[in-house]
Amino acid sequence: MTPTAFGVHRSKLALALLPALLALGGAAQAQNVVLTGILGSKALLLVDGKPPRGVAAGESYLGVKVLSVTGETAVVDVGGQRVVLKMGDSPTQVGAKGPAGGNRIVLTADTNGHFFSPGRINNQAMVFMVDTGASFISMSIAEAERMGIDYRKGQPMRMSTANGVAQGYRVRLSAVRIGDVQLTELDAVVTPASMPFVLLGNNFLTQFQMTRINDQMVLERRY
């Protein structure tokens, strides 16, 4: 089965989202914070999937207080915990994750209408982008290697990309998690195409009832 071209052309707007992703806080009120850029003296923060906002030192956004902004680094305070965010860092988790077992995911569109969310695959953090045109959860070879996925042991498959037909691999993921919602034993495709995030494809999405309300997407688990 050949997946779609994964909508990689839609990723141009999100190249700045190759971020430091941090899941912060306690088990009951964990917060997801992404440093997506530096705007002069302000840190451009993405908090809990909400649209990014520039936040200066001394200001707070959705409970995240910026303490300082220097170069490509921002120091923030979340619930009394001081964390250093760096542009381009591998995602890091700080604090308890909380138990999985939820059934509802709420995502907010960015200014271009795309839905992004921090999440985890096999307990490794990354940024997802919802892509209803992708048959499977899809990731680049670089992301697979970062997560320690031995994709070469997966099922080889020929894939259509922007540069023609290329070699890809179909692999099995132990767990895929967004917030407190976790699905297990899902297939994914590892592609040679460069992508700054993981595409959340239909083999994940079809297990939810999807409702669009203005700029929010609500996913309610079917079973």
Side-chain angles (χ1 to χ4, degrees), residues 96-130:
K97 294 179 292 184
N103 296 305
R104 190 170 188 264
I105 299 170
V106 179
L107 305 175
T108 302
D110 67 4
T111 55
N112 293 281
H114 295 275
F115 291 92
F116 293 94
S117 176
R120 305 183 74 82
I121 290 178
N122 297 352
N123 205 34
Q124 297 294 317
M126 73 283 302
V127 175
F128 289 107
M129 186 188 83
V130 173

Side-chain angles (χ1 to χ4, degrees), residues 10 107 115-116 128-132 198 200 205 210 217:
R10 283 178 274 177
L107 305 175
F115 291 92
F116 293 94
F128 289 107
M129 186 188 83
V130 173
D131 187 351
T132 57
V198 176
L200 198 62
L205 297 173
M210 186 184 302
M217 177 183 290

